[in-house]
Amino acid sequence: IMAFAPHHRRDGGGLYSFSSRPRAVESRPRYRDDQPHCLDSSMQRAHGNIMYDRRVVRGNTYGRHVLPPPGGSRTVRQRSPAQRAAREQLRGSSPEALLGRKHVHMQTERYLEELSEVLVSENAECQTDAFLDRPASPLFIEQGDLFDFDVEVQPVLEVLVGKVMEQSLLEVMEEEELASLKAQQRTFEELRNSRLAEVQRLQEQERRHSQERERRIAQQKEVLRKEKETAEKIAARAITQQYLAGLQPAVFSSLRGHGFFYDPVERDVETNFLPWLMAEVNDTLRKRSTARQTLDSE
């Protein structure tokens, strides 16, 4: 391995160049010292070499495993019970805790582990019905009979009378409650019937008002229609009279000019006398012409 000593040189154009001459490099140990306070001898030299600097990370940077940031998100990964058992066997047991201390299980892995073996428990309570306390046992009195009827029957009678009174009170309360419910129902039905009657009255009144309003509207419409028809007739009559005022003389003049209105004597003269007169004149003229021609020919 060769190293290059620095060499400075300046050419004729004034440009500055740098180069180093080759020289031998001293041998270095194959492995670095494990103690942190010891430094390599190569790092103590003036020129140094970053390849042997402890502050430089060796190896490729893209293949290194990058730890997640402290505040970033964590991935939760579940492990099977078999994997957890194998992991516990390989891990080994921890030493006993010191006096006054104890071991606590905690997760120190990089990924969180879901604790799925926690049993779900629920609390339920029940309470039995309250019973009457058992009466104290009477003192045993040795007499001729096996028991004293008056003393022994007293608790039974108390229970029977208490149950009868309780049942009676319950029945009386039930009857009173039923009577109250019937009274409330009767009151409610009366109130409902009165309200229904009032609603029906208001509906009938509204129906009559609606009919009266519709009838008045129809009458008003009929009056307006008749007024409109009357106004239209009056306008049509006025227009007709104004139009016919000059139409009648013009029609008579036109009819008179076309010969529809004539004098009977004049028409008789024109239709009968004048054609006969013309025929007679023509016949006379024709005879005279014939006679003149006959005279001329002789």
Side-chain angles (χ1 to χ4, degrees):
I1 301 173
M2 300 295 292
F4 296 91
H7 176 68
H8 303 277
R9 185 180 59 182
R10 187 181 297 273
D11 56 1
L15 298 177
Y16 179 81
S17 63
F18 173 81
S19 63
S20 61
R21 296 178 181 177
R23 63 182 179 83
V25 178
E26 296 181 1
S27 62
R28 300 183 180 87
R30 183 176 181 83
Y31 302 99
R32 60 185 178 181
D33 192 0
D34 295 335
Q35 298 183 4
H37 62 276
C38 297
L39 297 176
D40 193 4
S41 59
S42 62
M43 298 178 60
Q44 299 177 0
R45 294 185 176 87
H47 59 274
N49 193 343
I50 63 174
M51 293 300 296
Y52 295 94
D53 192 349
R54 295 180 183 273
R55 295 169 296 180
V56 178
V57 180
R58 294 169 178 79
N60 54 354
T61 57
Y62 60 86
R64 296 178 60 232
H65 186 73
V66 181
L67 296 177
S73 59
R74 297 180 179 178
T75 306
V76 179
R77 182 179 62 184
Q78 297 182 359
R79 295 178 180 174
S80 62
Q83 292 179 355
R84 287 196 295 269
R87 185 179 181 85
E88 293 294 337
Q89 291 179 1
L90 294 176
R91 181 180 298 174
S93 59
S94 302
E96 296 295 333
L98 299 178
L99 183 61
R101 299 183 180 181
K102 62 178 180 179
H103 293 312
V104 179
H105 294 280
M106 60 182 302
Q107 296 183 4
T108 58
E109 291 82 358
R110 187 176 303 165
Y111 302 98
L112 296 179
E113 181 179 357
E114 181 182 4
L115 301 177
S116 59
E117 297 181 359
V118 179
L119 299 179
V120 180
S121 61
E122 296 181 359
N123 297 328
E125 298 179 359
C126 62
Q127 178 65 38
T128 57
D129 297 335
F131 294 97
L132 298 176
D133 296 337
R134 182 178 177 274
S137 300
L139 298 176
F140 177 74
I141 301 175
E142 185 176 357
Q143 296 178 357
D145 296 334
L146 295 178
F147 59 90
D148 190 355
F149 178 79
D150 295 336
V151 177
E152 298 293 338
V153 80
Q154 185 177 359
V156 178
L157 291 177
E158 289 179 356
V159 172
L160 291 177
V161 173
K163 288 293 183 181
V164 170
M165 294 298 295
E166 183 180 0
Q167 186 66 25
S168 302
L169 291 175
L170 290 176
E171 290 180 357
V172 171
M173 292 174 62
E174 184 179 0
E175 291 177 357
E176 292 179 354
E177 186 176 1
L178 291 176
S180 176
L181 291 176
K182 289 182 179 179
Q184 291 181 1
Q185 184 177 5
R186 191 181 307 108
T187 305
F188 174 75
E189 289 180 354
E190 292 177 357
L191 181 61
R192 185 184 63 180
N193 293 333
S194 63
R195 290 182 177 179
L196 288 177
E198 183 67 19
V199 169
Q200 292 178 357
R201 186 184 66 80
L202 293 177
Q203 290 179 352
E204 184 66 21
Q205 183 179 0
E206 183 66 22
R207 187 181 62 81
R208 291 197 301 271
H209 289 172
S210 300
Q211 291 180 355
E212 182 68 19
R213 183 171 58 254
E214 291 177 357
R215 188 175 63 82
R216 293 292 180 86
I217 291 174
Q219 290 179 356
Q220 189 67 22
K221 288 182 178 179
E222 184 68 20
V223 170
L224 293 176
R225 187 181 62 80
K226 290 182 178 180
E227 290 180 356
K228 184 178 180 180
E229 289 181 356
T230 303
E232 290 178 354
K233 289 181 179 179
I234 293 173
R237 182 176 180 182
I239 294 172
T240 304
Q241 290 178 356
Q242 183 179 2
Y243 180 73
L244 294 178
L247 180 63
Q248 184 175 4
V251 170
F252 282 125
S253 299
S254 177
L255 292 175
R256 190 177 295 105
H258 287 81
F260 289 96
F261 297 102
Y262 55 88
D263 189 5
V265 178
E266 184 179 359
R267 175 58 63 87
D268 189 18
V269 171
E270 291 179 353
T271 57
N272 296 326
F273 179 72
L274 289 179
W276 173 80
L277 181 59
M278 293 299 293
E280 289 296 331
V281 170
N282 290 331
D283 187 21
T284 302
L285 293 175
R286 183 175 58 79
K287 288 180 179 179
R288 287 181 180 181
S289 177
T290 303
R292 189 178 292 110
Q293 290 177 1
T294 303
L295 291 176
D296 291 339
S297 61
E298 292 179 357

